[in-house]
Amino acid sequence: MSQSYKSLKEDFVSNLSGGDIFEINLVTAVAPAAVLLWSVLQSRHVVFVPYGVAAFAIDFLLNVGAILLAITLYSRAPAVLNILLLLPAFLLYILTPLATGARRSSKPPRLPNGPPTEDSRNDELLPFPVRPFVTTYRGAMMVVTCIAILAVDFKVFPRRFAKVENWGTSLMDMGVGSFVFSAGVVAAKPILKDRMAGKPPKLGRRLWISARHSLPLLLLGLIRLYSVKGLDYAEHITEYGVHWNFFFTLALLPPFVAVFQSLFSLVPSYELLSLLLGSVYQGLLELTRLKAYILTAPRKDLLSKNREGVFSFLGYLAIFLAGQAAGQYLLPRRPIGSSPSKTAKAQRFRILARLAAWSVIWSSLLFLTTAYKYGLGFRVSRRLANLPYVLWVAAFNCTQIAMFCTIETLIFPTVYKATHRTAEAREGQKATSRILQAYNRNGLAIFLLANLLTGLVNLTVDTLSVRKEAATAILFGYIVTLTGVALALDSWNISIKV
């Protein structure tokens, strides 16, 4: 890559100030709006069973195409796109009855009288139920992330959506934090299993297990580092530093989380642990010269060259802990400490209530830390991953999950009302987009492929000179390819654990 073109590419993604949080919320609301329309089509007309070419086309247009439009051609009118999705969803929901199959499947299977047989015991509900809304949330997040990492290199992608230089909010800033938060949600499962077993592993054992998870990510980080330097690829130094990249951040999370598990006996709340870590880090930024060092220090040694990645890790760790906190009540059938006598409906509405409560709490704390008149007057910074950024990511993701959970609760109540494992799995499959399920199943592998394809496109196409129509076509072909790979892996029952 010539130095002049490399400089143009780097300037194209540098010194940006972001956009408004309300606009980011409006753009990202397209994902739940599309899922609502998908859900109504499935519950009213069973459009996606069987899953043929037509079903795939509709699934793709709703859960991938709508997101692509929201951040490109409809970026100036996301409200219009939301209306175009919500209006037919409401009309179909009100005017058309449930499909016959949906009505019939809502009835639990009848069991024979007498003592439980081996078959009936094998069909008992598991401690960790099917959660289609979690799959949908994580799948939609992956779709947005994969589209954005290539789209940012084209002019069809608004600059206000690209990562902010120092202070402000943007769609891609939220994407990075959401990736970490969603990883924290599912990382709560092994912790819950240990607590349910009553024999949590010792710190040494936890560190050994976490190291096994970290090594592949560390290797990916090194591969990315050497490929970027070797190809003289354009890079945004102030994002993570000279050598650091996002894979290194992900690689360091497991061992540090293993250490924080030991603190759970002292601070029995992952939300509080997240807040304490974020607050201590914010105190260091404000009361010492750390903030000035991260933003302005000359890059002389290894630490100063990678200061953004090293110190922002504290903020991402706080985000991961906030995600684990959400996973504590999202993943188990009955959260630890809840009454076993509560019905499935009561348990579901308890989840919704906790999601709503924490959405309000995180949002209120964000307001108190950022408001100039009534609060502390701090500004959001993804580069620092400071406390306001942590609170913004936590508030946004809890709200997103709450929306997906509400859609599932209203449209597919048979999922959480199922009384047997096979019925729950069957209803959960009906309530989940095949595409979003595929993205969720092999999320990190698909993300890695997206990075490789992004590099390939940037090395072969002058992205700064491409017209909007051609850029949209390239992005469409790119996301079709990613979706095809994700679906192929899912259909072949392949799960790539990175």
Side-chain angles (χ1 to χ4, degrees), residues 229-250:
K229 300 300 181 183
L231 295 170
D232 198 24
Y233 192 76
E235 52 184 331
H236 191 187
I237 296 297
T238 58
E239 188 175 340
Y240 294 108
V242 176
H243 309 102
W244 200 277
N245 59 61
F246 189 51
F247 288 109
F248 291 142
T249 298
L250 294 177

Side-chain angles (χ1 to χ4, degrees), residues 86-286:
L86 292 174
L87 187 59
F90 285 129
L91 290 175
L92 285 170
Y93 183 75
I94 294 170
L95 300 178
T96 58
L98 277 171
T100 304
R103 282 198 294 267
R104 186 165 53 244
S105 63
S106 64
K107 298 178 181 179
R110 300 179 65 179
L111 292 178
N113 295 326
T117 63
E118 184 176 349
D119 287 341
S120 65
R121 280 193 294 267
N122 290 338
D123 205 28
E124 291 177 356
L125 294 171
L126 297 173
F128 294 94
V130 175
R131 294 289 195 220
F133 70 89
V134 174
T135 298
T136 300
Y137 149 72
R138 283 171 50 83
M141 183 275 301
M142 280 303 308
V143 170
V144 177
T145 302
C146 290
I147 295 174
I149 61 174
L150 176 58
V152 68
D153 296 313
F154 293 92
K155 292 182 178 179
V156 71
F157 187 82
R159 293 302 87 193
R160 66 186 183 277
F161 289 173
K163 289 177 182 175
V164 172
E165 188 71 19
N166 293 320
W167 310 102
T169 55
S170 76
L171 178 69
M172 291 195 71
D173 288 340
M174 177 52 67
V176 176
S178 296
F179 196 103
V180 174
F181 187 97
S182 70
V185 170
V186 294
K189 190 172 182 177
I191 297 173
L192 288 166
K193 285 183 175 180
D194 291 337
R195 289 171 64 188
M196 288 177 179
K199 294 181 179 180
K202 294 182 179 180
L203 177 60
R205 174 66 176 168
R206 292 201 303 271
L207 287 173
W208 168 249
I209 295 171
S210 65
R212 286 163 52 192
H213 288 291
S214 295
L215 284 176
L217 291 167
L218 184 62
L219 179 62
L220 289 174
L222 290 171
I223 292 172
R224 177 177 170 80
L225 169 63
Y226 285 112
S227 61
V228 167
K229 300 300 181 183
L231 295 170
D232 198 24
Y233 192 76
E235 52 184 331
H236 191 187
I237 296 297
T238 58
E239 188 175 340
Y240 294 108
V242 176
H243 309 102
W244 200 277
N245 59 61
F246 189 51
F247 288 109
F248 291 142
T249 298
L250 294 177
L252 284 179
L253 284 171
F256 277 86
V257 170
V259 173
F260 268 80
Q261 277 184 253
S262 301
L263 298 176
F264 189 76
S265 58
L266 301 175
V267 185
S269 167
Y270 278 90
E271 289 96 347
L272 189 54
L273 280 174
S274 173
L275 277 171
L276 284 174
L277 178 59
S279 298
V280 169
Y281 176 45
Q282 186 68 35
L284 291 173
L285 290 172
E286 299 299 326

Side-chain angles (χ1 to χ4, degrees), residues 24-35:
I24 296 168
N25 292 340
L26 204 57
V27 170
T28 52
V30 167
V35 168

Side-chain angles (χ1 to χ4, degrees), residues 360-378:
V360 171
I361 291 169
W362 292 123
S363 299
S364 300
L365 290 173
L366 174 63
F367 174 79
L368 290 173
T369 55
T370 57
Y372 284 98
K373 188 174 182 181
Y374 302 103
L376 299 175
F378 298 145

